[in-house]
C-alpha cells in the first residue's frame, strides 16, 4: 500500500460561495488559486485557497438535489465535508477500506490525477478521499484539482499553516480508531489527552461532541489579534481565539 500519506486538502460546504470564500480570504490573508468548472456537473461551484501546501476548498450547491446540499440539510450547516489525502496508491488504500466495510463512493480518473472517494456514511463524520498525481510526489508539484499555478497563490504573511483538524463524536476514541484504520495511521494521545492521528504535515484530534462531524480547523498565524479583529470586522462572533466560518470553527494559534 505504501507508507507515504499527507493531508492534501480540506473541503468545506456552504449554502453559497459568498460571503464564505471572501471572508476566508480577507480574514486569513489567503488567495483563491482556482475555481474548477468540472464540479458544475455535480451541481456545485467551488473555490480553492492554498494554506501553505494544504488546499482549503469551499463548495456550494447552485441547484437542488446535490449531495452537498443534502449534507447541509442533514448537519444544519455544521461540519467539514471532506478530508483529502495524497498517497502512493489510492486504489490499494480504497481496497483496504472496502475490506473494512467502507464502500467506495466515487472514483475520479483525470490523468495524471487519480482519486478514490469513500462513502461518508461508512467513514463517519466526513468523506475521505485518497489521491495521487502521477509524477508529482513533491508537495509543491502539480495538483490538478487546484489549477495549473496554485503554488503562485500561496501567501504566508498572515496564515502560515493548517496544523490540526478537529473531529467531534459521541465516541471520539472509536471514531479515531476507525479513521486510523482507514488512513493507516496509529492512534496516539495528544497533549490535551485526546486521541489523535498525526500525519507528517497536520494532525486530526478527536473530541467529545453530540454527533460525528469535522468540527474545527486550527491555523498557525503570525498575529492572532490581527486575525481576530479581521473576523470581528466582517461580523463574525469571536470567542477566545476562535470563530465559526463555513460550518467549522477556525482556531488560531501562534
Amino acid at each position: 500500500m505504501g507508507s507515504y500519506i499527507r493531508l492534501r486538502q480540506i473541503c468545506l460546504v456552504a449554502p453559497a460561495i459568498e460571503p464564505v470564500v471572501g471572508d476566508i480570504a480577507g480574514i486569513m490573508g489567503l488567495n483563491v488559486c482556482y475555481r474548477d468548472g468540472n464540479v458544475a456537473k455535480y451541481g456545485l461551484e467551488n473555490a480553492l485557497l492554498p494554506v501553505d501546501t494544504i488546499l482549503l476548498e469551499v463548495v456550494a450547491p447552485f441547484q437542488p438535489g446535490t449531495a452537498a446540499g443534502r449534507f447541509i440539510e442533514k448537519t444544519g450547516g455544521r461540519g467539514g465535508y471532506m478530508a483529502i489525502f495524497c498517497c502512493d496508491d489510492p486504489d490499494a488504500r480504497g481496497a483496504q477500506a472496502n475490506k473494512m466495510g467502507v464502500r467506495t463512493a466515487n472514483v475520479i480518473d483525470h490523468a495524471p490525477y487519480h482519486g478514490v472517494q469513500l462513502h461518508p456514511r461508512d467513514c463517519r463524520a466526513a468523506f475521505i478521499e485518497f489521491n495521487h498525481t502521477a509524477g508529482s510526489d513533491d508537495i509543491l508539484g502539480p495538483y490538478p484539482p487546484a489549477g495549473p499555478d496554485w503554488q503562485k497563490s500561496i501567501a504566508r504573511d498572515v496564515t502560515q499553516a493548517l496544523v490540526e483538524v478537529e473531529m467531534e463524536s459521541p465516541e471520539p476514541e472509536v471514531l479515531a480508531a476507525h479513521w486510523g484504520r482507514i488512513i493507516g495511521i496509529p492512534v496516539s494521545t495528544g497533549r490535551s489527552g485526546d486521541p489523535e492521528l498525526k500525519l507528517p504535515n497536520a494532525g486530526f484530534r478527536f473530541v467529545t461532541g453530540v454527533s460525528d462531524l469535522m468540527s474545527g480547523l486550527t491555523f498557525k498565524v503570525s498575529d492572532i489579534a490581527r486575525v481576530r479583529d479581521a473576523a470581528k470586522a466582517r461580523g463574525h462572533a469571536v470567542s477566545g481565539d476562535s470563530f465559526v466560518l463555513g460550518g467549522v470553527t477556525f482556531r488560531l494559534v501562534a
Side-chain angles (χ1 to χ4, degrees):
M1 191 160 75
S3 56
Y4 163 74
I5 186 155
R6 281 178 179 272
L7 180 61
R8 178 84 265 198
Q9 193 176 327
I10 288 289
C11 176
L12 309 179
V13 65
I17 281 287
E18 295 300 347
V20 175
V21 170
D23 281 0
I24 292 174
I27 294 166
M28 306 301 289
L30 301 172
N31 300 314
V32 172
C33 63
Y34 194 51
R35 296 175 192 268
D36 185 359
N38 288 321
V39 300
K41 64 172 176 278
Y42 303 113
L44 302 174
E45 54 183 331
N46 80 340
L48 290 104
L49 308 95
V51 183
D52 193 29
T53 55
I54 294 173
L55 278 302
L56 183 58
E57 178 184 16
V58 179
V59 300
F62 62 78
Q63 63 187 47
T66 63
R70 286 192 295 275
F71 177 85
I72 293 173
E73 283 158 24
K74 189 181 93 169
T75 64
R78 183 86 178 112
Y81 192 47
M82 203 178 281
I84 297 172
F85 302 90
C86 56
C87 61
D88 335 348
D89 192 342
D91 291 322
R93 287 182 180 272
Q96 190 65 32
N98 296 162
K99 281 186 197 153
M100 292 171 50
V102 176
R103 293 164 290 175
T104 299
N106 192 20
V107 175
I108 306 156
D109 217 357
H110 293 302
Y113 169 88
H114 181 71
V116 175
Q117 291 178 349
L118 302 176
H119 203 296
R121 191 169 296 147
D122 301 340
C123 294
R124 299 174 54 184
F127 272 100
I128 290 173
E129 177 188 307
F130 297 117
N131 68 44
H132 181 73
T133 302
S136 178
D137 288 330
D138 172 14
I139 52 166
L140 280 166
Y143 183 61
D149 295 311
W150 68 271
Q151 305 89 338
K152 292 180 181 162
S153 295
I154 295 172
R156 297 190 181 93
D157 49 335
V158 180
T159 299
Q160 274 117 31
L162 169 55
V163 291
E164 189 175 73
V165 180
E166 183 190 82
M167 309 291 290
E168 279 184 15
S169 173
E171 313 167 297
E173 289 82 8
V174 176
L175 186 62
H178 183 59
W179 272 54
R181 280 195 300 276
I182 296 172
I183 298 164
I185 289 186
V187 178
S188 52
T189 304
R191 277 179 308 197
S192 54
D194 298 314
E196 65 179 23
L197 302 173
K198 292 300 277 181
L199 286 109
N201 62 339
F204 281 71
R205 187 166 63 96
F206 295 78
V207 300
T208 304
V210 220
S211 58
D212 288 345
L213 60 95
M214 186 194 292
S215 49
L217 301 173
T218 300
F219 297 89
K220 183 171 186 281
V221 297
S222 51
D223 182 340
I224 291 175
R226 176 184 166 185
V227 179
R228 259 195 337 236
D229 290 347
K232 276 184 193 148
R234 284 176 178 256
H236 296 281
V238 175
S239 164
D241 293 337
S242 65
F243 56 94
V244 175
L245 179 53
V248 298
T249 302
F250 278 54
R251 296 182 201 289
L252 311 172
V253 295

